[in-house]
């Protein structure tokens, strides 16, 4: 009886694993899209406009990564 129960428990495991894999891929894709959009928008700003926001051009990728992480977390 224990073997049958064990096999039943394993039967659902691949589906759960696949679902979590798909969900993780969706999350990574959303994070990447937010990151790219933020980088593109900030890169279009002039140095003066960036300075008005308190940013330097070298900070764009870090700020974009933070924005993507925060977007996915909410």
């Amino acid at each position: 009886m224990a073997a049958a129960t064990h096999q039943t428990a394993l039967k659902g495991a691949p589906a759960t694993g696949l679902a979590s894999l798909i969900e993780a891929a969706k999350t990574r894709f959303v994070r990447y899209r937010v990151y790219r959009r933020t980088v593109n928008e900030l890169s279009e700003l002039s140095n003066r406009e960036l300075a008005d926001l308190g940013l330097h051009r070298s900070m764009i990728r870090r700020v974009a990564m933070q924005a993507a992480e925060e977007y996915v977390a909410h």
Side-chain angles (χ1 to χ4, degrees):
M1 187 62 139
T5 304
H6 183 67
Q7 287 176 348
T8 304
L10 289 179
K11 205 178 227 182
T16 303
L18 181 58
S20 65
L21 183 64
I22 291 170
E23 194 60 37
K26 286 181 186 178
T27 301
R28 282 192 308 269
F29 181 72
V30 168
R31 186 182 305 130
Y32 174 75
R33 295 292 299 169
V34 171
Y35 171 79
R36 287 306 316 156
R37 183 180 309 142
T38 305
V39 167
N40 290 341
E41 289 179 6
L42 290 176
S43 294
E44 291 177 0
L45 298 177
S46 69
N47 288 337
R48 173 64 184 200
E49 291 168 323
L50 287 171
D52 287 345
L53 295 173
L55 299 175
H56 186 269
R57 195 157 297 280
S58 65
M59 300 168 68
I60 290 175
R61 286 189 279 170
R62 181 174 51 87
V63 169
M65 185 61 71
Q66 289 173 345
E69 291 295 330
E70 289 176 14
Y71 184 84
V72 171
H74 293 121

